[in-house]
Amino acid sequence: MNPNRNAISIHLPEWFSDFMAAQGDTFPSQEERMRLAINLAKKNVEHNTGGPFGAVICSTRTGQLVAAGINIVITAHCSLAHAEMVALTLAQQSRNSHILSECELASSTEPCAMCLGAIPWSGVQSLLCGARGADAEAIGFDEGTKPRQWRAALERRGVQVTRNILRDEARAVLQSYKRRGGPVY
């Protein structure tokens, strides 16, 4: 048996570390957090290293960056490697905890069905969304089946949801990806 079959690993592209190092480590406002998530998605498209999605997790108390992620589904050969899932995984590993208390997740696009399911179990207190799921679907992505009242369901579970933060910028990244002919799945 291949020994790699007994391990889960996330390998982000080479540009990721340098890009993140240049960003600083504190993002006090929701717009700053969202702009970073969108810029990650944009860089991922420009470098042709994954889908047009980025996510950032910051402390709700200090704005300190906990982790960031990008969509690496194709390059990682893993359907779970959505930006939100990568960011949640890296944040949980950096905190040595499966619960991300006092954290906020900023996602360049509203969560798909899979990521939606992971959000309440992660312990984040709030979710910021840039583009809408319909914007991703408009370029061909399958967002899965989500309950019509998904925002209310998250809020009942203690996760505050804020939508449309820098939506035009986030939607522009999706459209750029489509124009470049990126794989849609």
Side-chain angles (χ1 to χ4, degrees), residues 24-42:
D25 59 2
T26 305
F27 302 87
S29 74
Q30 292 182 335
E31 288 78 17
E32 289 172 285
R33 295 170 195 168
M34 182 56 64
R35 184 156 284 114
L36 178 57
I38 292 168
N39 286 337
L40 281 165
K42 184 178 181 181

Side-chain angles (χ1 to χ4, degrees), residues 66-159:
V66 177
I70 53 174
N71 178 290
I72 54 171
V73 167
I74 303 277
T75 57
H77 310 290
C78 180
S79 63
L80 303 176
H82 289 203
E84 298 94 332
M85 301 299 277
V86 170
L88 289 170
T89 299
L90 294 174
Q92 290 167 336
Q93 290 176 350
S94 76
R95 287 216 166 159
N96 292 317
S97 176
H98 64 284
I99 299 297
L100 297 172
S101 57
E102 295 185 354
C103 285
E104 179 170 73
L105 169 62
S107 180
S108 64
T109 302
E110 290 175 347
C112 69
M114 174 181 64
C115 297
L116 176 64
I119 289 169
W121 289 335
S122 72
V124 298
Q125 292 177 318
S126 60
L127 169 66
L128 309 176
C129 304
R132 291 206 177 179
D135 299 330
E137 290 172 343
I139 68 162
F141 278 97
D142 180 356
E143 294 296 281
T145 304
K146 296 190 312 191
R148 182 175 298 231
Q149 301 297 322
W150 65 269
R151 293 177 313 281
L154 281 180
E155 289 180 355
R156 280 192 301 276
R157 302 221 21 204
V159 180

